[in-house]
Amino acid sequence: MRITVTVDGTTYRDEVAPRQLLVHHLREAIGKTGTVVGCDTSNCGACTVHLDGQSVKSCSVLAVQADGAEITTVEGLARDGVLHPLQQAFHDNHALQCGFCTPGMIMQSIDLLADNPDPDEQAVRHGLKGNLCRCTGYQNIVRAVLDAAQRLRPDPAPTGATEATEATATPGELVGGER
Amino acid sequence: MTATIEPEVGRARPRKEDARLVTGRTRWTDNLTVPGLLHLAFLRSPVAHAKITSIDVEAARRAPGVVAVFTGRDIADAQGSLPCAWPVTADQVAPAAPSLAVDQVNFAGEAVAVVVARGKAEAHDALEAIDVDYDELPVVLDLRAAIAEDADVVHPDLGTNRSAHWVFDSAEAGTGGDVEQAIAEAEVLIERTYRQQRLIPAFMEPRSVLVDPTGEQTTVWSATQIPHILRLMLALTTGVPEHKLRVIAPDVGGGFGGKLQVTPEEVVALVVATRLGKPVKWTESRSESLLSAHHGRDQLQRLTLAARRDGTVTGLKVDLLADMGAYLRLVTPGVPILGAFMFNAIYKFPAYRFACTNVFTTKTPTDAYRGAGRPEATFAIERLMDELAAELGRDPIELREQNWIKHDEFPFTTVCGLEYDSGNYEAATARAKELFGYDELRAEQRERRDRGDSVQLGIGTSTFTEMCGLAPSRVLGSLSYGAGGWEHAAIRMLPSGKVEVVTGSSAHGQGHETAWSQIVADQLGVPFEDVEVLHGDTQSSPKGLDTYGSRSLTVGAMAVLKAGEKVIRKARRVAAHMMECAEDDLEFTGGRFTVRGTERSTGITEVALAVFAAHDLPDGVEPSLDSAATFDPDNFSFPHGTHLCAVEVDTETGFVKIRKYVCVDDVGVVVNPVIVEGQVHGGLAQGIAQALYEEAVHDESGTLTTGTFADYLLPSAVDLPHFDTDRTETPSTTNQLGVKGVGEAGTIASTPAVVNAVVDAVRHFGVDDIQMPCTPMRVWTAINGGPTDAGGPGGEAGGGLGSIDSTGGAL
């Protein structure tokens, strides 16, 4: 089947097998090897990308389902050599060690903050529960997301304001996913 | 130039490595491709123990896109036997370990055939066309049954399931007293049997290997922790000459011991690529990884602790059964032996005996997993100390302090004959209690207990040490290990003033590029950014023993430091010549050689340029500052720490929630505090996972039932608490940097802290043990079953959906 997808701003038209997963199409046909495969049961989230602005596990989407879609991967986040605030926050907070889960973690974190720009620690943990990391114990990942939330806030609260919101991230059907 | 440069060592530098990892500019092995690449897929045995009576691959050979299919018989002459580098005893028995099974399969998941095809999907499709007939044999799963008189044997030609029996006895070694006498004279005996469940390392990056035989050297890219060892072992196993092999570990996504291996797939990829003259690649699926990559732990520990009524420990006797699985992999038999010197831990036991029987079963082979022998030992002793405290009605921390080595007693020679270099258990414990709010939590615990609250609070302690910096070569020799424990490094001074550091350590997430840069920047007085660290390629880094056992900083970075000293020594001679003074008149600080008492100076980078030009060098001086060093440590280092865990146990559901986790680790001098903290966090996660979540379960037919991430329960962000971490700093006296190693600390310490807390929460129900992982069902059953059942396995295994066997299959 012939599909057209726009990935990180470039449009690609390809013939794909009906069974081809989006993640394999991204890696093998389009060369977006920044997005990786960590499991075969949709548990680990390493392959998370944005499909029309929503985070999806690209191992759980057929390439043909992405026909006509706009996809953003971790490789499309930086602008003119400047890291996305979440990439910067992951670096600044030592939120990665081996880095294999990192692309998926970052993409899911962006989605999490889009849904809930002012999460507390528990909301971040719940928002990331579909993404597994074996290196960090998650503590610095959580810290990085909270840090990025501060950076992304258009009108930063006065320093010292530590009031946590009651909001809890509610992952949508395609976002995060239940373990 | 100002002289007040902030030292790099000790600075919380964000990592260099991150730049590529956060942007997706990564070179995982599976990302790589070369022209004409073919793909491999392995057919694996669905049964645990069987004779292979026939394999028909003809239909698979004719499948679309398939280039070749090989069985074990097809490559029997080339595949050799997978190496085991650690024959722990002279009379150890071991079976041949073919990469592709030839006549018999000995665990479910063992590879029996490989398809080579144009595409990965085509290779997998063709697997279904292979027809294998198995004549099933009885499975061997239970450790105790495996060593019984009439046991079915895994390897009939060996005639036994006992691979080796290894003993350390302090009376025989002359390092302590006779443990049987201590037991006979004991006023208090604590006797327990603990089970270390089988775990899976579960690194996030699945294993992958690409072999390109089209160059003069055959290049092997592999997701491995050990490119140097792999090169040698591939050569010895397959007969491909070592100098014709180049091994590259590109970006490697975690290992935790799981990639400290020479895998069947690496061997087969090399053999097949060589035979076809074409490059081949294999990348495993997660299910394949959980099923067939080596597992960890899996011991049955019979323990006897002898003490006096006043709480003084007088003896410790350890009897282990260790599950090897079906084969001995690279260091399989040595893993339990690494624990032999750690059961006595930080305590002054006068008598000690350790005996371990290594046992074959028809399960996935075990091997190193983070801590490797030491978590098992630490769990046992730290659980026993809590049990002794309970028996005597003492506070568990106070009882530990009564028995531990005091800070003014270092260096201390233990009952095992190891010399602990330094430590301050009092300081770490005092700080941990303060951060934890120990007294307040104990008060709350009493209050809840008195009130009969349905949610009970438990407090667990773990005061651990470990041996890091594997290892002094002479010690490895005395333990019959097949190699040394040194590490190699080289420093190249480039004419433009930049520096290349070559290291034999092989990072896979640790942050060596950053930490080594910090050390060299300080030593040579060059900017952090001007240092490039080269590793993981036997061409650029030709010599090394790689990364495992918390050895990289204590051994690998020491080699870097030694190479730097040689660079400075060479540069000093040239600098003296340039400034027409004596070498002794020069002092070297901040990257500059200064003539004492004058303003005259020259920078080491200027010396490097002068040496590059080589126009005017002292007589007999070769035009190079480049230097190499190989460092062999004199002793291990012994980091330690105090971990305190508070859990809330819902007595109605058995659910355990970690309320507070505090750890104060002493890992000696710290090069980069954020990296150290990250290592502690990740270690804690894995240790807590053993206590509460993870278990590899084989059912009664030997099939792994926890073969996906839906069944093997890696904790997610919601399953783990916030960790409160802090450090005390007692420099190591066994190396110049004063460093001790941190990679395994969190994993070693945390498991007993959590289980001690869980048991402490429900001890008043008559519970004195709950088997790991402490699942809600097991905890609930322990509470409701009372003391007689409390030591039993509980109502279900811990392995989530895959758990159909109440005993977890192994017991």
Side-chain angles (χ1 to χ4, degrees), chain B residues 196-328:
Chain B
Q196 295 289 326
Q197 81 269 34
R198 181 174 275 251
L199 299 177
I200 306 181
F203 33 76
M204 286 312 297
E205 181 210 12
R207 296 172 306 161
S208 180
V209 59
L210 192 165
V211 179
D212 183 359
T214 60
E216 266 310 301
Q217 281 185 318
T218 292
T219 305
V220 178
W221 287 267
S222 186
T224 181
Q225 293 174 230
I226 52 162
H228 298 93
I229 294 173
L230 180 60
R231 182 196 197 197
L232 173 61
M233 288 299 173
L234 283 176
L236 295 176
T237 304
T238 65
V240 177
E242 189 181 0
H243 66 295
K244 290 294 183 185
L245 282 175
R246 173 187 182 187
V247 176
I248 301 173
D251 284 330
V252 176
F256 315 111
K259 291 173 181 169
L260 166 51
Q261 194 54 270
V262 178
T263 68
E265 295 84 1
E266 286 165 336
V267 170
V268 171
L270 176 59
V271 168
V272 167
T274 305
R275 191 161 289 190
L276 298 176
K278 299 280 281 179
V280 301
K281 180 163 80 175
W282 169 76
T283 301
E284 69 185 352
S285 68
R286 176 59 58 183
S287 310
E288 233 179 338
S289 187
L290 295 172
L291 179 67
S292 67
H294 74 246
H295 294 174
R297 313 279 192 266
D298 209 341
Q299 295 181 355
L300 206 53
Q301 309 174 310
R302 235 166 27 140
L303 308 153
T304 308
L305 183 147
R308 290 204 292 265
R309 278 258 149 237
D310 71 358
T312 308
V313 296
T314 55
L316 180 64
K317 184 177 164 187
V318 176
D319 262 309
L320 294 189
L321 295 179
D323 192 344
M324 305 286 98
Y327 296 100
L328 302 184

Side-chain angles (χ1 to χ4, degrees), chain A residues 96-133:
Chain A
L96 61 147
Q97 291 179 33
C98 85
F100 195 78
C101 75
T102 307
M105 270 306 169
I106 288 176
M107 299 312 286
Q108 180 58 21
S109 300
I110 293 171
D111 194 75
L112 188 165
L113 292 183
D115 282 353
N116 179 0
D118 190 21
D120 64 8
E121 182 187 331
Q122 278 313 308
V124 173
R125 287 182 180 272
H126 278 275
L128 294 178
K129 72 179 175 189
N131 289 68
L132 296 176
C133 170

Side-chain angles (χ1 to χ4, degrees), chain B residues 61-187:
Chain B
R61 282 204 175 109
R62 290 193 303 272
V66 171
V67 174
V69 182
F70 298 99
T71 66
R73 198 162 293 288
D74 294 333
I75 61 167
D77 58 332
Q79 68 177 344
S81 181
L82 286 162
C84 174
W86 203 338
V88 291
T89 60
D91 58 355
Q92 170 178 296
V93 298
S99 290
L100 286 184
V102 179
D103 302 313
Q104 183 173 319
V105 291
N106 296 303
F107 68 97
E110 186 167 1
V112 295
V114 63
V115 174
V116 191
R118 180 184 57 179
K120 190 171 177 178
E122 289 167 320
H124 278 271
D125 287 345
L127 293 180
E128 291 182 22
I130 300 175
D131 191 17
V132 187
D133 284 331
Y134 296 101
D135 189 2
E136 289 199 44
L137 299 166
V139 294
V140 180
L141 301 171
D142 182 290
L143 279 176
R144 280 182 283 218
I147 56 167
E149 276 295 309
D150 55 348
D152 295 310
V153 287
V154 181
H155 303 284
D157 49 326
L158 301 182
T160 175
N161 292 320
R162 293 169 194 256
S163 176
H165 185 69
W166 193 95
V167 176
F168 175 85
D169 188 301
S170 63
E172 289 164 18
T175 53
D178 176 5
V179 84
E180 293 302 341
Q181 190 184 337
I183 289 170
E185 293 170 359
E187 294 168 8

Side-chain angles (χ1 to χ4, degrees), chain B residues 443-525:
Chain B
E444 182 185 331
Q445 179 184 36
R446 277 193 300 276
E447 187 273 321
R448 285 198 190 200
R449 201 156 288 187
D450 293 346
R451 184 150 56 85
D453 193 352
S454 64
V455 177
Q456 288 289 317
L457 189 68
I459 295 169
T461 305
S462 170
T463 49
F464 84 105
T465 188
E466 57 160 329
M467 47 198 265
C468 279
L470 306 184
S473 296
R474 63 181 166 79
V475 175
L476 292 179
S478 72
L479 294 172
S480 312
Y481 183 63
W486 46 262
E487 193 47 88
H488 184 77
I491 291 181
R492 305 183 198 146
M493 300 298 294
L494 305 182
S496 63
K498 310 296 184 194
V499 180
E500 285 178 338
V501 176
V502 177
T503 175
S505 301
S506 190
H508 41 281
Q510 291 87 349
H512 295 167
E513 292 168 33
T514 299
W516 279 210
S517 296
Q518 289 179 271
I519 290 167
V520 170
D522 269 4
Q523 187 186 23
L524 299 182

Side-chain angles (χ1 to χ4, degrees), chain B residues 604-629:
Chain B
I604 193 165
T605 57
E606 295 161 58
V607 176
L609 184 60
V611 169
F612 172 74
H615 295 164
D616 180 18
L617 297 178
D619 288 344
V621 167
E622 64 176 326
S624 174
L625 298 180
D626 299 352
S627 301

Side-chain angles (χ1 to χ4, degrees), chain B residues 778-799:
Chain B
R778 282 188 178 150
V779 174
W780 187 90
T781 305
I783 293 168
N784 291 282
T788 50
D789 296 332
E796 67 162 19

